[in-house]
Amino acid sequence: MTDEPLKTTPLDALNRELGGKMVPFAGYAMPVQYPAGVLTEHLHCRQHAALFDVSHMGQASIHGPGGAAALERLVPGDMQGLGAMRQKYTLLTMEHGGIMDDLMVANLGDDHLFLVVNASRKDIDLPHIAANLPAGLTLERHDDRALLALQGPAAITVMAALAPEAAALPFMGVARITLAGAACLASRSGYTGEDGFEISIPADRAEEVARLLLAQPGVMPAGLGARDSLRLEAGLCLYGNDIDETTNPVEAALMWTIPKRRRAEANFIGAAPILAALAAGPARKRVGILPEGRAPARGHTPIVDDAGTTLGEITSGGFGPTLNGPCAMGYVRTDLAANGTALSLMVRGKPHPARVTATPFVPHRYVR
Amino acid sequence: MTTVRYTKEHEWVRMEGDIATVGITDHAQEALGDVVFVELPEAGREVEEGEACAVVESVKAASDVYSPLAGTIVEPNQAIVDDPAMVNREATSGAWFFKLKLANASDFDRLMDEAGYKAFLDTL
């Protein structure tokens, strides 16, 4: 940790005005919750809609012809097959097969790809991407843009009233829209398991757009606390917890992001070790884990067998407000990764029974 | 005569005879947020002053609750185990954590009184 002053998002003044409890996160002062509290914000998102400031995340563009083919050297997803105004979840892989980051890539047409990467990784990812682009392609950082996530079943009603072209989007579709007079980029996506939108906005217009969205029926501001419990219930990975440089996509159960063509071509960074791990079968696997009691098992909780031998550890865990109970994910030996397998979690030195369980813990409600 | 005293760990302690009832302060429940899980020590357990002996968890994080003084646990409050949200609703009344028979009843006088705790909060 350093003593550098925290960076602020373009919505810092609004976050404080709304009573956000500001905490340091990835070098930014971010609202972990507003006065309603994590539990209420979480449940409100699942029932109505919640607005999250996620402006700390890294936004960037790749400009130039052949961007998709060039990016395929760095990510194992099908970038060349990404249609205009469509978005995909993919990974930045490393030579040894580890994961540098997970990210969203949108094809905006006109030789323009739009990227959203994790806040904690943007200063690693973006120089890496820039250094690997061939001549004729440029990477533009959008440090001058804010990012809002409007998530929950009421998000569609809100957008239908304000920007009908966004409301017509399919899941992972992207549109250029106008909100409060500002030119925005909206995608039908998010990280809560709910239907919703992520909206990229010029920084100097972000507060007006946020105020407009917060004024719509059913919209409540929500902080990083609720975002974390929502994504955990949705079984989605948090970079730095569930995936990192030491996990490969095979053990992280992310091979669904690597389609057949990319496996056959094997021309992305880290292809050899990742495909070798796939062929050999991974030694460990990321799984969902449901504790049987009420005690939450947090990150780094040891997973043990009846004899007390360590089998792995919890990477994300806590209390799921919609589930109304604890839930977690973690890595276990592959022979113990089948759904229903009984495990024990060492919480404060005592074994607590738990079971390997399919994720998501709360069903996704993406529009299809 | 002060019958409720406080610790720097944000616990309140109420003396009745030689039995101390221990809970967390409003400041503590406010800072924790929505309480979703509580784990309490069993009756009969001997605890040292400052020993972590209970756990209170919000959606976001787990925190220890410490024994304010040395003694023997005489009763945990099962009501807050069954309904953890009680800790937010009535931290300083019904949502007490445990009753403790003090090893040395005069130890109670070493804890902060209400004015002392308020002054301590102002330093945070």
Side-chain angles (χ1 to χ4, degrees):
Chain A
M1 290 283 113
T2 63
D3 290 331
E4 278 177 44
L6 292 175
K7 290 180 270 191
T8 56
T9 77
L11 295 168
D12 190 64
L14 178 61
N15 286 330
R16 291 172 197 271
E17 178 188 318
L18 293 169
K21 185 173 171 187
M22 308 304 282
V23 300
F25 183 84
Y28 284 81
M30 296 300 293
V32 66
Q33 63 172 74
Y34 295 91
V38 178
L39 198 69
T40 301
E41 292 166 21
H42 175 116
L43 296 172
H44 192 89
C45 180
R46 293 249 187 266
Q47 284 159 10
H48 307 286
L51 187 71
F52 301 85
D53 176 16
V54 288
S55 304
H56 57 318
M57 297 188 79
Q59 303 179 65
S61 289
I62 296 174
H63 298 284
L71 188 58
E72 282 192 354
R73 164 93 182 110
L74 308 183
V75 306
D78 180 11
M79 296 296 111
Q80 298 190 69
L82 189 57
M85 303 313 273
R86 301 286 299 172
Q87 173 176 282
K88 222 178 196 55
Y89 172 81
T90 189
L91 308 170
L92 283 164
T93 47
M94 306 177 77
E95 291 293 352
H96 68 279
I99 300 172
M100 180 178 289
D101 201 2
D102 59 347
L103 72 160
M104 290 287 190
V105 179
N107 174 9
L108 302 187
D110 301 324
D111 294 330
H112 182 184
L113 297 175
F114 184 81
L115 279 49
V116 180
V117 305
N118 280 301
S120 60
R121 302 296 286 177
K122 62 184 174 186
D123 293 330
I124 293 166
D125 299 346
L126 299 179
H128 167 73
I129 294 169
N132 281 281
L133 290 180
L137 290 172
T138 54
L139 183 81
E140 179 194 5
R141 280 183 73 132
H142 297 303
D143 292 323
D144 55 348
R145 295 186 77 85
L147 191 67
L148 287 173
L150 180 68
Q151 299 283 296
I156 183 64
T157 321
V158 169
M159 293 304 276
L162 300 176
E165 61 280 33
L169 287 172
F171 182 57
M172 292 294 219
V174 182
R176 295 185 185 278
I177 63 169
T178 303
L179 283 175
C184 302
L185 187 64
S187 66
R188 191 93 182 249
S189 66
Y191 221 60
T192 59
E194 296 297 320
D195 184 19
F197 298 85
E198 290 202 348
I199 307 165
S200 171
I201 311 159
D204 59 349
R205 307 303 303 280
E207 189 174 318
E208 277 171 89
V209 173
R211 284 186 192 278
L212 174 67
L213 292 170
L214 288 168
Q216 305 305 307
V219 181
M220 168 186 273
L224 293 184
R227 189 170 158 83
D228 191 50
S229 53
L230 288 158
R231 72 92 200 160
L232 175 61
E233 284 185 341
L236 301 171
C237 290
L238 174 63
Y239 191 89
N241 284 38
D242 308 303
I243 50 175
D244 60 26
E245 295 188 359
T246 71
T247 59
N248 69 46
V250 185
E251 57 199 14
L254 291 173
M255 286 307 286
W256 61 271
T257 66
I258 312 184
K260 207 187 265 184
R261 172 177 67 85
R262 301 304 321 278
R263 296 184 197 189
E265 291 172 355
N267 57 355
F268 53 91
I269 291 178
I274 291 168
L275 295 171
L278 181 66
R284 59 176 188 163
K285 235 174 149 178
R286 181 179 63 89
V287 295
I289 296 171
L290 275 186
E292 290 183 354
R294 299 291 297 169
R298 311 278 173 180
H300 304 299
T301 297
I303 303 169
V304 300
D305 63 15
D306 289 345
T309 310
T310 299
L311 307 171
E313 75 170 22
I314 298 294
T315 49
S316 279
F319 182 86
T322 301
L323 198 62
N324 190 25
C327 55
M329 52 177 125
Y331 285 81
V332 295
R333 263 183 10 223
T334 303
D335 59 305
L336 299 165
N339 290 335
T341 305
L343 304 166
S344 286
L345 307 176
M346 287 300 276
V347 178
R348 290 178 287 276
K350 274 182 283 181
H352 287 61
R355 262 177 212 286
V356 176
T357 307
T359 58
F361 300 114
V362 172
H364 292 162
R365 297 198 290 180
Y366 305 135
V367 65
R368 290 291 177 184
Chain B
M1 176 70 191
T2 305
T3 56
V4 182
R5 288 183 177 266
Y6 300 85
T7 72
K8 289 187 176 181
E9 306 295 344
H10 305 286
E11 287 128 4
W12 56 261
V13 186
R14 188 190 307 118
M15 273 312 268
E16 283 146 314
D18 61 350
I19 303 294
T21 302
V22 179
I24 67 169
T25 64
D26 252 327
H27 172 86
Q29 70 79 16
E30 181 78 38
L32 282 166
D34 303 298
V35 173
V36 295
F37 178 78
V38 174
E39 191 173 278
L40 297 175
E42 285 175 17
R45 175 169 158 188
E46 288 191 19
V47 291
E48 297 293 325
E49 178 173 339
E51 182 177 333
C53 64
V55 175
V56 57
E57 301 206 24
S58 66
V59 179
K60 197 71 193 123
S63 305
D64 286 317
V65 176
Y66 304 90
S67 183
L69 295 166
T72 306
I73 303 289
V74 292
E75 187 186 351
N77 185 5
Q78 185 61 33
I80 62 170
V81 173
D82 297 338
D83 179 12
M86 254 181 92
V87 176
N88 297 112
R89 290 197 306 268
E90 39 188 306
T92 58
S93 53
W96 53 274
F97 275 56
F98 49 83
K99 295 187 187 219
L100 181 70
K101 185 178 193 324
L102 296 187
N104 184 351
S106 67
D107 284 349
F108 178 73
D109 300 325
R110 290 194 281 110
L111 301 177
M112 287 181 281
D113 62 12
E114 189 172 354
Y117 180 62
K118 280 190 173 145
F120 170 67
L121 285 182
D122 287 340
T123 68
L124 300 182

